[in-house]
Amino acid sequence: MYSQLFSIAALATLAFAQNETMSNSSSTMSLADLLGSTESLSSLADAVNGVPGLAETLGAATDITILAPSNEAFATFMETPSGQAVSTDDSTAIQALLQYHIINGTYPASAVMETPAFLSTMLNNSAYANVTGGQVVEAVRQGEDVVFYSGLLSNATVTTADQNFTGGVVHIIDTVLTVPQNVSSTAIAAGLSGIAGALTRADVVDIVDSLSDITVFAPNNSAFQAIGSALPNLTLNQLVDILQYHTPDEPQLIDYSLTHTYTVINGTVAYSSMIEEEMSVPALSGGDLMITMEDGDVFVNSARVLIPDVLVANGVIHVIDNVLNPNNTEAMPDPTASVQTPAFSGATSAENVDYTSGVPTPTMAIGPNPTMAEEDSSPTMEGGAEETGSAEGAAPQMMTGAMGAAALFAGAGHRKAMAKQYDTHTTVEVVVQDLSREIAGKVVLTTGISPGGLGAYFNHFVAPAKPALLILAGRNHARNQASADSLSQDHPDVPVRTLQLDLESLDKVRDAAATVNGWSGVPRIDVLVNNAGVMACEYERTADRFERQFAVSHIGPLLFTNLLMPKILASEAPRIVNVSSDGHRLSQIRWPDVGFSGGQLYNKWRAYGQGKTANILFSVALAKRLGSKGLTAVSLHPGVIGTNLSSHLDWDTEFAALPSDYNASYLQDAHIADPSAGNTIKAYALDRIEADKLWQLSEKLVGQRGGGVLPTHPPTYLPTYSINPSTALYRAIQLDERADGLTIPSEIAEEHTIATHFHSEQERIKIVHVGAGAAGLITAYKARRMLGNYELVCYDKNPDVGGTWFENTYPGVGCDVPSHSYTFSFEPNAEWDGYYANGAQIQKYLVDFCDKYDLRKFMRLETTVLGATWMDDKGQWELELRSKDGTRFQDRCHVLISGSGPLNRWKWPEIESIGQYKGTLVHTADWDSKIDWHGRRVAVIGSGASGVQVTPQLVKGAESFTLFSRSGQWITPPAGMQDIRVIPDSELSSHPAPAGKHFYTREEKAVMRTDPERFLKYRKGVDSAMQANFPIFLRTSLFHDHAMVMMTEMIKQRIGPGRPDLERLFIPSFSPGCRRNTCVSTEIVKFTEHGIMTADGKEREYDIVVCATGFDVAFAPHYQVTGRNGISMKKDWAEFPNVYLSVASPNFPNFYFIGGPTGNWAQGSVLATHEIQAEYALQCALKISAEHLHSLEPSQSVTTEYLQHVETWHRSKSVWAETCRSWVKYNGRVALWCGSMIHMLKTLRVPRWEDFVIRRRGGNMWSFLGDGRTEREVLHAEGKEVELAPWMRNEDSAWTVDL
């Protein structure tokens, strides 16, 4: 019943309502408390409190979004002429300004997309806003920023998002919005002197400024100059006609929104998101304006739109580059021309337009009558797109076509903005109450009204709003009457009529339509709800020889609707609602075999899907054909509901036969389609060509032209093909053994239309990388080289890039890998001081790399990732984040890369009474640079890498020094024992020496800077020597045995004879390499107030205790990661990381690791493996983008076998499996790569796609092949110099078609 009632609520919304916004506020903080506790909003709080009654109004408001200028923004604004005008005005102007910052509806930052949305505000004072529903702001996402455009194209960027309060949400913005001015003032302020002068010359300024809901296509000054010779000869009436021709008069703008609706918008404010690719709209002068799109540009007749969406007090202005001629309506654009040919034949250009001389200098002010301030020099809107595009505050690119922030459902005269967002928690009573005025007095005809069905419930809940008449249509007279009696009993004051309608018979459909058309007392039908349908029934033919589901879902409703069209169009606001379903995803229209070859190829679910797709396309066709007559045609997708429609189905059995792609997430929840997800509304159901094709086919099938205006003729049938059932294409759906469970076998892949893109044209995807250290930097660098259509942001908690090298600043911090190996493979550094680099040098290298390649634009610093949740219905990750000031906000991405590594959170040692110590206690990973250890008693706990590095530095100058080590460590010989020198056999080149003692000479650095080939040879030599040492980690190798003997003898020589106690301390029982090689040992019992108590009972006093005790190793990310089916990564990895090749994990689609478990943590340079892992993740991102995939996820069976191989390899070969303590172990198992670094690079060079579960967004898997062309051919056709024969070469070298 719950989902059923929501479906009724959704149906009521589509039948009568206008618009919906979003509400997610769950905060218990009042607005007053929020403003009072936010220091940066004190100016706003004062302004609100200064307007009588406003604070109380806002405090009681629900479901609003407040764009809150910061104190800085207010201070800047008050210094402008606009601010001074407001400050000297009465409270009306201030109130209008504040109201313009309050949006009706709750819009979190995540709701703002790259497609502009025009959101109504509380500003509806006619002195400032003569727009039905209130003045609007334009919301758009630009890169990482959420931006709001207001009057004069001024814009404000959200600096702190999603501050929730009881009534909605607050976004802090960096600029005070500009209240839109009237048309003439805007033209003057924008420097459009041509249109401003023309309005004055024609004496229509007051008329134009007083009109409501106006759209103006305003020529720029160059356009007027281009016809300058013709202007002096125009009569006043001719000039008025020309100006009127630039203003549409109630255009019918069809907005095929990428939601679950298809909408006709009746109104005159045509924002860019409403403009269709090809449409004709009437102008005030009486002629028609033709709007077209060519190569991404929008044209009005022959004029190109240069600047869209300049908001004005009574509508919107679009700046164009040509003056339109009402006597030359056939003028067409030339998309290749930078300047369009004037539409006035014989006109020549003139430098000056004579009636512009009196137009004031461009100014900016706010209010109904702007104060002109000559000192204000705002940028003008004159010039081409190139000029305005580079100006600060320029408008975003015009977004057109099937793009809408939301679908608008009101009929003519009912265009008020609805402030509420209806969702699965909305009751039908709430919807009906909100829309009671729209429902009252309407005549509503609903098909499919049997008791217990959606139609019956719909009428039952609509009745209290007092419709003029409810017509209940169904095929069973007794059931019709039962529904009518029930309705009349509950609502005796609402007139009800029944109609017998059998959609399976064309003759009976005609009889029913004739009955309705014969009702003289019913002159109109305001709303027709085509609700009747059948679901997944066994194969049957109707009397007219149609497949039954296609007949009931489409053929019957289409004929019935068209026969009733005269009465429908007699309504003031005619509306047709076609109740469809997400089941349309099961099949598109089966051209040319809609009848399933007489049943031989029948699949009941494919047939159901075809009928529902036809239902949607019917709405598209109606809107296109009859929108100009005022008709609104929409489609409703209620999801799975518990009505008698499905009473014949055993859902446990039927859903087991459905592919998982169509299971619960699509059929069980009523939800709004998300265009960015791409997996809830099929493209073929939106396609107008498909709609036209189906309309033409349907006319042939029913033997009648649309609208019921032509005589009938016998129906035409498609041929029936004879096919052996054993070779039928649509056979039973089989279980697939892959981890994703039920899938559609390739034998029954859906038919599809050919897309218009080229081979593997990339869809735009968003990537989030967690961390701005080396992994984040290499990802940002490689993404630019590997991807073509992407957005990337790297979040990091630190104030600068560098990761571990930014955080670790303790004395002696450095890297135990040779400096010339510790670089990105392609980015050598000739400035390293020595064979080993210290931490400051490495940090500088990373910062320099970031700045050299302009990577900071991808970095979002001082931001902590708190969690990530996979949203399977959208194919995206949703991230919870916290900014430096504590503000929480969300972000979404298609691909999530974790590059923060396992050593991210340092930890104190687990030693008793550590809190009692009153001296200086510090951790190496949180070093305080103010610490002075000279002349002090110092202890270091820990002899790992950081302990060994910090020890030599603290020994220098300390009064006393003690190193505490829990276990023995191998002491390695001096590094770089091989004689590898920059200048071989030369005294100008330094000899190998231990860390901190091997420095490059001035001559060596000169060679590195000036001789890249010799430098590369040296770098290769250094790294090759390190790679050659890999066998030391193999227990069975002679190299390992030799190294162990050599190191043992070296330690004994240094200790001297007769000291077996020291030998036990410095010669561990495990092999070199089991732990990272460092140094010493003593046992600590507890901390005391003045120092440390050891096991021998002695208290040792220290002034400074340095903890080099490492990190709280977390193989899973430190933030909460929730994957598919709600699986927590931390829980999933409780026993051991369930990781594939160190880069991915089952149950976590589109999630990749750099520096992940079973990776390269112990041999060679991690930067080399970071690089290969980043490339691996980006290859996956490229495949998702180019092949338009939903997700990639490694198979569990493949991952299980990989982990088995890793464990077996370590147990049989590696030193890491020995009984030593090491952070690279988890529950006793080694989490390192099963081989050398070179071995790892080879494995990860190219992804093994056969190891992945590949989920597609729907449709044919080969859709990414596109229209048969490659990018090379497309660019060549555009006149670009592109080679078309890359395979032709003089030798057998590598080649590729890709650019």
Side-chain angles (χ1 to χ4, degrees):
M1 175 64 81
Y2 174 79
S3 60
Q4 190 178 66
L5 293 183
F6 171 72
S7 299
I8 300 161
L11 179 53
T13 304
L14 287 174
F16 303 106
Q18 178 188 6
N19 192 19
E20 302 179 7
T21 55
M22 289 185 294
S23 178
N24 70 343
S25 175
S26 59
S27 174
T28 58
M29 180 182 288
S30 69
L31 178 60
D33 289 341
L34 176 60
L35 295 180
S37 62
T38 307
E39 185 176 347
S40 62
L41 297 182
S42 59
S43 295
L44 175 62
D46 292 342
V48 169
N49 292 329
V51 176
L54 182 58
E56 291 75 16
T57 300
L58 295 181
T62 59
D63 207 15
I64 60 175
T65 299
I66 297 179
L67 305 179
S70 65
N71 294 343
E72 256 184 31
F74 263 111
T76 302
F77 173 71
M78 296 309 295
E79 293 175 3
T80 66
S82 300
Q84 293 164 11
V86 168
S87 64
T88 57
D89 203 341
D90 59 17
S91 62
T92 303
I94 301 173
Q95 181 172 350
L97 178 66
L98 295 175
Q99 287 175 333
Y100 189 51
H101 288 75
I102 305 167
I103 298 173
N104 297 315
T106 304
Y107 292 88
S110 60
V112 179
M113 303 299 178
E114 293 180 348
T115 302
F118 297 85
L119 311 178
S120 66
T121 70
M122 278 192 173
L123 179 56
N124 53 19
N125 183 329
S126 60
Y128 299 88
N130 199 3
V131 179
T132 302
Q135 188 53 266
V136 304
V137 293
E138 179 183 356
V140 64
R141 182 174 294 277
Q142 295 180 346
E144 299 172 7
D145 296 325
V146 172
V147 180
F148 290 89
Y149 283 86
S150 54
L152 292 172
L153 290 182
S154 65
N155 64 82
T157 300
V158 173
T159 57
T160 303
D162 301 330
Q163 302 291 292
N164 292 327
F165 67 101
T166 51
V169 66
V170 170
H171 303 306
I172 301 177
I173 56 177
D174 63 359
T175 306
V176 175
L177 300 178
T178 299
V179 175
Q181 304 171 28
N182 53 36
V183 174
S184 59
S185 298
T186 298
I188 293 170
L192 296 172
S193 57
I195 189 71
L199 292 171
T200 302
R201 171 73 177 83
D203 196 24
V204 293
V205 170
D206 291 339
I207 295 174
V208 172
D209 287 346
S210 65
L211 290 173
S212 62
D213 298 328
I214 190 172
T215 299
V216 178
F217 294 101
N220 64 358
N221 297 342
S222 299
F224 279 98
Q225 290 171 349
I227 62 167
S229 66
L231 293 176
N233 301 320
L234 294 175
T235 66
L236 185 60
N237 287 337
Q238 288 174 326
L239 182 58
V240 170
D241 284 344
I242 291 173
L243 292 172
Q244 288 180 327
Y245 189 54
H246 288 75
T247 306
D249 180 22
E250 297 187 359
Q252 277 67 50
L253 301 177
I254 301 173
D255 176 21
Y256 295 105
S257 174
L258 295 181
T259 62
H260 274 190
T261 54
Y262 310 89
T263 315
V264 178
I265 301 173
N266 296 307
T268 57
V269 184
Y271 303 112
S272 63
S273 62
M274 303 175 185
I275 293 178
E276 268 293 319
E277 292 185 13
E278 185 171 346
M279 57 190 297
S280 177
V281 294
L284 282 175
S285 64
D288 288 333
L289 297 171
M290 177 58 66
I291 299 177
T292 57
M293 284 186 66
E294 295 284 345
D295 298 330
D297 286 338
V298 178
F299 294 89
V300 184
N301 288 5
S302 62
R304 176 186 274 109
V305 175
L306 298 178
I307 305 175
D309 303 321
V310 182
L311 302 179
V312 292
N314 53 344
V316 66
I317 291 175
H318 303 299
V319 180
I320 57 178
D321 68 353
N322 211 351
V323 179
L324 307 178
N325 186 349
N327 297 314
N328 184 9
T329 59
E330 302 300 319
M332 298 301 292
D334 179 4
T336 63
S338 58
V339 179
Q340 297 296 309
T341 302
F344 291 78
S345 179
T348 58
S349 63
E351 185 173 348
N352 297 311
V353 179
D354 58 355
Y355 49 71
T356 62
S357 57
V359 176
T361 304
T363 59
M364 291 178 66
I366 192 169
N369 298 299
T371 302
M372 301 304 172
E374 293 183 2
E375 64 270 25
D376 186 14
S377 55
S378 61
T380 70
M381 296 179 192
E382 171 60 20
E386 236 178 60
E387 298 169 73
T388 57
S390 61
E392 183 176 349
Q397 289 293 313
M398 193 172 200
M399 305 296 290
T400 59
M403 301 177 182
L408 303 177
F409 300 121
H414 299 283
R415 300 180 60 254
K416 71 182 182 70
M418 183 175 292
K420 292 189 177 181
Q421 165 66 26
Y422 298 144
D423 57 22
T424 54
H425 301 288
T426 305
T427 64
V428 64
E429 291 89 349
V430 169
V431 175
V432 171
Q433 181 179 353
D434 289 343
L435 304 177
S436 57
R437 284 186 296 176
E438 281 76 12
I439 298 172
K442 291 288 197 304
V443 176
V444 183
L445 192 162
T446 308
T447 70
I449 47 72
S450 296
L454 175 62
Y457 278 111
F458 165 68
N459 282 273
H460 176 82
F461 283 102
V462 164
K466 302 293 190 295
L469 174 65
L470 295 177
I471 304 172
L472 310 185
R475 66 176 179 173
N476 186 294
H477 175 72
R479 291 183 179 179
N480 293 351
Q481 195 58 51
S483 293
D485 291 344
S486 174
L487 195 59
S488 296
Q489 182 177 350
D490 293 340
H491 306 283
D493 54 340
V494 176
V496 180
R497 283 197 181 189
T498 63
L499 174 70
Q500 192 159 0
L501 170 66
D502 185 353
L503 294 170
E504 294 187 31
S505 166
L506 296 184
D507 286 342
K508 292 180 180 179
V509 168
R510 291 188 176 98
D511 290 344
T515 298
V516 176
N517 287 329
W519 289 341
S520 58
V522 183
R524 73 181 194 279
I525 296 172
D526 296 294
V527 180
L528 170 60
V529 181
N530 285 315
N531 170 65
V534 291
M535 184 178 194
C537 53
E538 298 304 323
Y539 181 76
E540 291 182 65
R541 278 187 181 178
T542 66
D544 301 298
R545 297 175 61 193
F546 298 129
E547 186 275 313
R548 184 182 177 217
Q549 294 195 70
F550 192 63
V552 176
S553 294
H554 175 62
I555 295 297
L558 176 137
L559 178 60
F560 184 64
T561 299
N562 277 292
L563 292 174
L564 295 182
M565 196 58 70
K567 283 203 171 186
I568 295 172
L569 294 180
S571 170
E572 259 184 44
R575 175 168 305 229
I576 296 172
V577 178
N578 293 314
V579 180
S580 183
S581 128
D582 278 338
H584 80 277
R585 296 178 50 76
L586 294 169
S587 179
Q588 64 186 86
I589 305 300
R590 289 171 42 85
W591 313 111
D593 185 22
V594 295
F596 289 87
S597 296
Q600 294 186 66
L601 300 182
Y602 186 70
N603 176 287
K604 62 185 176 184
W605 287 108
R606 297 293 185 191
Y608 176 67
Q610 175 179 249
K612 294 308 173 184
T613 296
N615 180 285
I616 299 170
L617 290 172
F618 181 33
S619 297
V620 175
L622 283 171
K624 181 178 179 181
R625 282 172 163 73
L626 297 173
S628 61
K629 297 184 181 296
L631 175 69
T632 296
V634 298
S635 293
L636 168 67
H637 306 251
V640 171
I641 56 176
T643 70
N644 52 20
L645 178 68
S646 59
S647 59
H648 65 289
L649 296 172
D650 179 346
W651 285 108
D652 291 336
T653 302
E654 297 297 340
F655 268 109
L658 278 175
S660 63
D661 202 23
Y662 307 134
N663 206 335
S665 61
Y666 301 118
L667 294 180
Q668 291 186 347
D669 293 321
H671 59 280
I672 296 174
D674 184 349
S676 66
N679 60 359
T680 52
I681 186 71
K682 286 284 192 179
Y684 54 67
L686 302 173
D687 195 298
R688 284 175 293 164
I689 296 176
E690 292 275 294
D692 286 341
K693 190 175 177 181
L694 179 62
W695 185 282
Q696 293 166 14
L697 170 64
S698 302
E699 286 182 334
K700 292 179 181 178
L701 294 178
V702 302
Q704 184 142 357
R705 299 293 297 277
V709 295
L710 295 180
T712 64
H713 52 81
T716 302
Y717 301 105
L718 295 178
T720 297
Y721 300 99
S722 177
I723 298 180
N724 189 329
S726 65
T727 61
L729 179 65
Y730 295 90
R731 63 177 179 80
I733 295 175
Q734 302 295 324
L735 282 175
D736 189 303
E737 294 181 355
R738 297 184 304 171
D740 56 330
L742 296 169
T743 57
I744 303 177
S746 60
E747 294 92 335
I748 59 169
E750 301 173 4
E751 301 93 342
H752 72 297
T753 54
I754 299 301
T756 56
H757 58 73
F758 57 76
H759 189 312
S760 300
E761 183 173 352
Q762 297 176 37
E763 287 186 334
R764 188 165 184 81
I765 61 171
K766 181 169 183 177
I767 303 169
V768 166
H769 184 283
V770 181
L777 295 175
I778 193 62
T779 298
Y781 172 85
K782 291 287 184 178
R784 185 181 283 162
R785 295 173 64 86
M786 296 174 62
L787 303 177
N789 192 8
Y790 73 99
E791 179 183 349
L792 169 69
V793 57
C794 299
Y795 289 109
D796 197 292
K797 65 182 184 296
N798 294 325
D800 201 359
V801 301
T804 187
W805 299 111
F806 173 84
E807 295 174 353
N808 286 271
T809 59
Y810 58 85
V813 63
C815 183
D816 55 3
V817 171
S819 56
H820 286 292
S821 290
Y822 201 81
T823 62
F824 297 123
S825 63
F826 55 89
E827 189 73 12
N829 181 21
E831 304 308 319
W832 294 128
D833 286 341
Y835 195 81
Y836 291 96
N838 62 44
Q841 288 179 313
I842 297 173
Q843 172 66 6
K844 183 179 185 303
Y845 171 81
L846 295 175
V847 169
D848 290 348
F849 179 82
C850 177
D851 294 337
K852 175 180 177 179
Y853 293 106
D854 191 24
L855 304 180
R856 289 191 182 273
K857 66 178 69 175
F858 302 111
M859 306 297 146
R860 183 72 65 83
L861 303 175
E862 297 185 289
T863 303
T864 302
V865 178
L866 303 176
T869 301
W870 174 252
M871 301 182 295
D872 199 65
D873 59 333
K874 303 181 185 304
Q876 294 180 357
W877 285 96
E878 182 173 80
L879 283 78
E880 185 76 19
L881 303 112
R882 184 180 62 230
S883 58
K884 180 184 179 182
D885 62 2
T887 302
R888 292 197 176 203
F889 65 99
Q890 292 180 331
D891 197 1
R892 290 183 181 179
C893 63
H894 301 90
V895 174
L896 180 58
I897 304 174
S898 178
S900 54
L903 305 181
N904 193 266
R905 293 185 175 182
W906 55 269
K907 66 175 183 179
W908 294 113
E910 296 179 2
I911 300 175
E912 184 183 341
S913 307
I914 191 171
Q916 292 183 8
Y917 177 61
K918 293 187 177 180
T920 299
L921 183 68
V922 65
H923 196 285
T924 51
D926 190 37
W927 187 259
D928 184 352
S929 60
K930 297 177 183 177
I931 292 176
D932 181 7
W933 64 90
H934 294 83
R936 313 290 294 280
R937 296 168 296 176
V938 179
V940 171
I941 302 175
S943 59
S946 57
V948 169
Q949 289 178 344
V950 76
T951 291
Q953 307 304 317
L954 299 182
V955 167
K956 302 173 185 177
E959 176 185 318
S960 65
F961 178 87
T962 306
L963 172 64
F964 292 92
S965 176
R966 181 166 49 187
S967 59
Q969 295 278 22
W970 283 101
I971 299 176
T972 61
M977 293 300 290
Q978 299 89 346
D979 189 3
I980 305 169
R981 286 185 279 175
V982 179
I983 311 174
D985 303 322
S986 172
E987 292 304 318
L988 298 178
S989 193
S990 58
H991 289 272
K997 297 182 180 179
H998 184 149
F999 297 102
Y1000 293 114
T1001 65
R1002 181 174 57 188
E1003 290 77 11
E1004 286 178 313
K1005 286 190 175 184
V1007 169
M1008 294 177 190
R1009 296 187 189 107
T1010 60
D1011 192 340
E1013 290 305 316
R1014 183 182 290 188
F1015 188 19
L1016 177 60
K1017 182 178 180 181
Y1018 173 73
R1019 292 168 56 218
K1020 283 179 174 286
V1022 169
D1023 209 81
S1024 295
M1026 184 166 53
Q1027 303 307 323
N1029 286 336
F1030 173 70
I1032 197 175
F1033 302 112
L1034 303 178
R1035 298 195 307 272
T1036 57
S1037 76
L1038 293 176
F1039 194 93
H1040 162 272
D1041 296 341
H1042 173 73
M1044 193 164 182
V1045 170
M1046 180 192 68
M1047 293 168 66
T1048 300
E1049 290 303 317
M1050 182 194 71
I1051 293 171
K1052 286 182 177 180
Q1053 288 176 13
R1054 293 189 177 182
I1055 291 174
R1059 292 301 304 269
D1061 56 331
L1062 293 180
E1063 288 183 9
R1064 285 193 299 270
L1065 181 61
F1066 287 101
I1067 302 177
S1069 59
F1070 49 81
S1071 299
C1074 186
R1075 292 188 64 182
R1076 296 187 67 162
N1077 298 337
T1078 50
C1079 181
V1080 187
S1081 168
T1082 300
E1083 187 176 353
I1084 299 174
V1085 175
K1086 65 177 181 178
F1087 273 88
T1088 66
E1089 185 175 334
H1090 302 292
I1092 291 172
M1093 178 75 75
T1094 55
D1096 55 11
K1098 294 181 180 179
E1099 180 182 7
R1100 304 165 190 265
E1101 295 188 356
Y1102 301 104
D1103 302 306
I1104 301 171
V1105 175
V1106 178
C1107 296
T1109 47
F1111 296 82
D1112 181 11
V1113 178
F1115 289 121
H1118 57 275
Y1119 47 91
Q1120 178 63 38
V1121 180
T1122 304
R1124 190 166 48 83
N1125 298 324
I1127 295 175
S1128 164
M1129 184 176 287
K1130 289 181 180 178
K1131 292 181 180 179
D1132 190 43
W1133 289 17
E1135 293 185 8
F1136 191 79
N1138 186 28
V1139 67
Y1140 165 82
L1141 297 182
S1142 80
V1143 292
S1145 180
N1147 302 314
F1148 301 93
N1150 299 359
F1151 190 107
Y1152 303 97
F1153 298 95
I1154 297 177
T1158 74
N1160 174 41
W1161 290 333
Q1163 194 256 333
S1165 169
V1166 295
L1167 294 196
T1169 47
H1170 277 9
E1171 193 172 329
I1172 200 73
Q1173 288 171 321
E1175 290 177 348
Y1176 189 102
L1178 293 173
Q1179 286 183 76
C1180 293
L1182 177 60
K1183 187 175 182 71
I1184 292 168
S1185 173
E1187 298 186 18
H1188 311 165
L1189 303 180
H1190 172 274
S1191 59
L1192 291 172
E1193 176 186 337
S1195 161
Q1196 182 60 67
S1197 61
V1198 171
T1199 302
T1200 299
E1201 292 197 30
Y1202 162 71
L1203 293 174
Q1204 181 187 36
H1205 176 79
V1206 170
E1207 183 172 14
T1208 303
W1209 184 86
H1210 281 292
R1211 289 192 181 280
S1212 62
K1213 288 187 172 295
S1214 83
V1215 299
W1216 296 294
E1218 294 180 2
T1219 55
C1220 64
R1221 297 175 60 92
S1222 176
W1223 67 266
V1224 301
K1225 293 182 178 181
Y1226 193 89
N1227 288 337
R1229 295 171 60 182
V1230 180
L1232 289 177
W1233 184 258
C1234 50
S1236 66
M1237 190 184 85
I1238 303 173
H1239 181 269
M1240 181 178 178
L1241 298 183
K1242 175 178 172 61
T1243 306
L1244 296 183
R1245 193 77 182 92
V1246 178
R1248 290 167 45 89
W1249 302 122
E1250 64 269 29
D1251 294 347
F1252 283 83
V1253 175
I1254 300 176
R1255 295 176 62 195
R1256 297 173 176 83
R1257 294 193 180 277
N1260 189 290
M1261 67 176 288
W1262 297 104
S1263 295
F1264 71 91
L1265 294 179
D1267 58 10
R1269 301 172 301 158
T1270 64
E1271 185 178 12
R1272 284 181 181 270
E1273 293 161 286
V1274 172
L1275 294 177
H1276 183 269
E1278 293 174 353
K1280 308 285 177 31
E1281 300 225 356
V1282 180
E1283 183 185 354
L1284 290 184
W1287 55 88
M1288 300 296 291
R1289 55 211 192 280
N1290 290 327
E1291 57 185 24
D1292 191 14
S1293 55
W1295 64 275
T1296 180
V1297 172
D1298 295 330
L1299 293 172

